[in-house]
Amino acid sequence: MRNWVGAIAIGLVLAGCEEKASSLGEGASPFPPTGDVTRLHSVDGLEVGHRLMAAGQFELALKAYLRAAGEQGTNVDVLSALGSVNLRLGRLGQSEDLLRRAIKVDQTFVPAWNNLGVVLMETGRVGEASRVFKTAFALDSGKSDEIRENLRRALAKIENPAYTSEKDERAFDLVRRGNGRYLILQAP
């Protein structure tokens, strides 16, 4: 009698498993995931950071850029982005260090040169800023009006240290976005 009861119980359990397996869908496994994350695609931390920067969410952008650093390593894009967000957060020393590191990685990376110039202007080193803006302008082949304007402001400040204008009250920095596309962001 015991054998019959045990056999019936096992049969019911197996029948329940069959129903569950068929309700998962075709090709689905009733077993837990293997932990293989190579199939998963994540959103690019740099792109998320750029969008957050444009939205004025600088702390969140910093987190996204740090995530990108963890995923991609500290390449020129990541270093420049981290320098830019630290500039926005008023962390000028950190920003300068990161932007100088970016330039060491790629001496032709225009946004890093320009943003370094912005940091130097903010810290009162106008002479060095003008040299940095000249480098950015030359590397950009004069294509960017914003870099030209930054250079003009720096040179005007050298010629006349008391120089200010209404337009100069709004500083700009240049952030790389994708393959050669740039987004100009107004400083707060």
Side-chain angles (χ1 to χ4, degrees):
M1 183 92 171
R2 279 186 170 175
N3 288 343
W4 284 91
V5 173
I8 293 174
I10 290 173
L12 290 174
V13 168
L14 290 176
C17 288
E18 265 184 56
E19 282 182 31
K20 273 193 171 179
S22 65
S23 69
L24 293 174
E26 190 174 321
S29 170
F31 303 107
T34 62
D36 181 18
V37 293
T38 57
R39 295 177 292 149
L40 301 177
H41 298 286
S42 64
V43 179
D44 180 27
L46 280 174
E47 185 64 32
V48 171
H50 293 329
R51 290 179 183 172
L52 290 166
M53 286 279 286
Q57 298 294 320
F58 305 126
E59 288 290 341
L60 293 173
L62 177 61
K63 289 180 182 181
Y65 290 146
L66 289 171
R67 189 183 90 215
E71 293 169 352
Q72 302 175 18
T74 52
N75 61 32
V76 69
D77 289 314
V78 171
L79 288 169
S80 182
L82 285 168
S84 299
V85 75
N86 276 293
L87 172 62
R88 294 308 197 112
L89 291 168
R91 300 171 184 161
L92 301 180
Q94 290 176 352
S95 178
E96 181 179 350
D97 291 343
L98 289 162
L99 292 168
R100 288 189 189 278
R101 284 180 55 196
I103 290 169
K104 282 183 183 176
V105 171
D106 182 356
Q107 294 181 358
T108 63
F109 195 68
V110 176
W113 282 105
N114 182 72
N115 290 350
L116 178 59
V118 173
V119 170
L120 295 170
M121 287 294 288
E122 291 290 322
T123 57
R125 295 179 278 171
V126 181
E128 186 179 359
S130 70
R131 288 189 299 276
V132 168
F133 285 136
K134 284 179 185 178
T135 301
F137 186 74
L139 289 171
D140 189 49
S141 301
K143 294 177 190 169
S144 171
D145 293 335
E146 291 77 16
I147 295 173
R148 182 182 305 115
E149 183 62 22
N150 286 343
L151 176 58
R152 185 197 63 75
R153 289 178 193 164
L155 293 174
K157 191 80 168 170
I158 288 174
E159 290 176 15
N160 182 7
Y163 171 80
T164 58
S165 76
E166 184 178 311
K167 190 173 184 179
D168 289 343
E169 296 299 319
R170 300 182 328 168
F172 293 91
D173 68 349
L174 193 62
V175 177
R176 180 156 190 193
R177 191 171 235 229
N179 297 330
R181 291 177 29 221
Y182 300 94
L183 172 67
I184 304 300
L185 300 173
Q186 184 175 347

